[in-house]
Amino acid sequence: QSVLTQPPSASGTPGQRVTISCSGSSSSIGSNTVGWYQQLPGTAPKLLVYSNNQRPSGVPDRFSGSKSGTSASLAISGLQSEDEADYYCAAWDDSLNGHVVFGGGTKLTVL
Amino acid sequence: QVQLQESGPGLVKPSQTLSLTCTVSGDSITSGGYFWSWIRQNPGKGLEWIGYIYYTGRTFYNPSLKSRISISADTTKNQFSLKLTSVTAADTALYYCARVPLAYKIFDYWGQGTLLTVSS
């Protein structure tokens, strides 16, 4: 059972906006920044968002992150077929002596 | 460009010890400011953080695995390694190594992963 809670699946049609949620606790998301990772089929995870809402160089601005209290969200606007992937949130957890916790992952399907 | 490359035996028998190595290029594991981490993914499942090492040798381990894991570094080869003892079928997974910038506490560069199967 993951410490961060994500919906197992999400879907949308091309061009739509989709949001994926990530729920944690006061010691994880409530006290630390959140990162989001995209894992395309058969590949390693790729950093998509860091520090709640910052995008690494090369990540399209269609991807945006936000955080409020003990929850975070990843929004994907202008959905494209190549966005079909698994998405994971992660954060440090102060109650676990600074260890990392992941969400269980959300499989995004582009219909 | 930072690159990480995992290497390992591919197949180990139950109860044996697993050893994996991550070779880093484009950065030095002694440069400071980064943890060097192991993460695994059971087939069809999510990501599980295993642990990380700082260049000083300080290590942090997932409590659920702590009794069986050891992470070490060979600074002369710019590598860090994972040892996992008493493996079972539950340890069958894709094992990734990754870099963790302490300022941001995220995994910014990942290796491609190495599949480890535990089977007799």
Side-chain angles (χ1 to χ4, degrees):
Chain A
Q1 187 174 355
S2 303
V3 178
L4 303 183
T5 301
Q6 297 180 235
S9 63
S11 63
T13 56
Q16 267 192 331
R17 184 177 188 270
V18 171
T19 300
I20 297 172
S21 63
C22 175
S23 177
S25 65
S26 58
S27 62
S28 59
I29 294 177
S31 301
N32 295 283
T33 59
V34 178
W36 288 91
Y37 302 86
Q38 177 193 57
Q39 187 174 33
L40 296 169
T43 69
K46 169 192 166 186
L47 179 64
L48 211 55
V49 168
Y50 67 97
S51 295
N52 304 326
N53 55 18
Q54 302 299 302
R55 285 184 306 277
S57 173
V59 174
D61 59 6
R62 302 187 295 104
F63 295 91
S64 62
S66 63
K67 177 185 132 174
S68 178
T70 59
S71 294
S73 293
L74 174 71
I76 309 171
S77 59
L79 199 61
Q80 300 180 2
S81 58
E82 55 261 40
D83 298 333
E84 187 159 293
D86 294 324
Y87 293 84
Y88 295 91
C89 59
W92 253 236
D93 192 319
D94 291 347
S95 72
L96 299 174
N97 197 23
H99 295 165
V100 179
V101 288
F102 283 100
T106 298
K107 182 173 181 56
L108 174 63
T109 301
V110 181
L111 303 170
Chain B
Q1 177 74 353
V2 178
Q3 292 186 317
L4 297 93
Q5 178 69 58
E6 306 88 349
S7 57
L11 177 68
V12 294
K13 291 181 167 47
S15 79
Q16 287 188 337
T17 295
L18 150 71
S19 292
L20 299 175
T21 296
C22 181
T23 302
V24 180
S25 59
D27 192 7
S28 169
I29 64 173
T30 63
S31 61
Y34 300 99
F35 283 144
W36 300 91
S37 185
W38 288 97
I39 299 131
R40 71 180 183 180
Q41 186 170 33
N42 296 107
K45 302 295 185 184
L47 301 167
E48 179 181 29
W49 172 71
I50 297 172
Y52 36 66
I53 187 167
Y54 194 49
Y55 79 100
T56 58
R58 177 78 191 273
T59 53
F60 300 82
Y61 299 142
N62 185 322
S64 69
L65 297 168
K66 187 174 183 178
S67 63
R68 297 196 294 129
I69 61 175
S70 172
I71 298 176
S72 60
D74 184 338
T75 57
T76 64
K77 297 180 180 179
N78 213 34
Q79 296 174 334
F80 62 104
S81 298
L82 168 70
K83 278 187 166 42
L84 179 62
T85 63
S86 305
V87 298
T88 70
D91 295 310
T92 293
L94 254 177
Y95 285 77
Y96 296 102
C97 57
R99 190 183 78 165
V100 183
L102 297 182
Y104 298 107
K105 296 181 177 179
I106 43 84
F107 304 96
D108 62 350
Y109 287 96
W110 297 66
Q112 65 186 25
T114 186
L115 179 62
L116 176 86
T117 301
V118 178
S119 174
S120 56

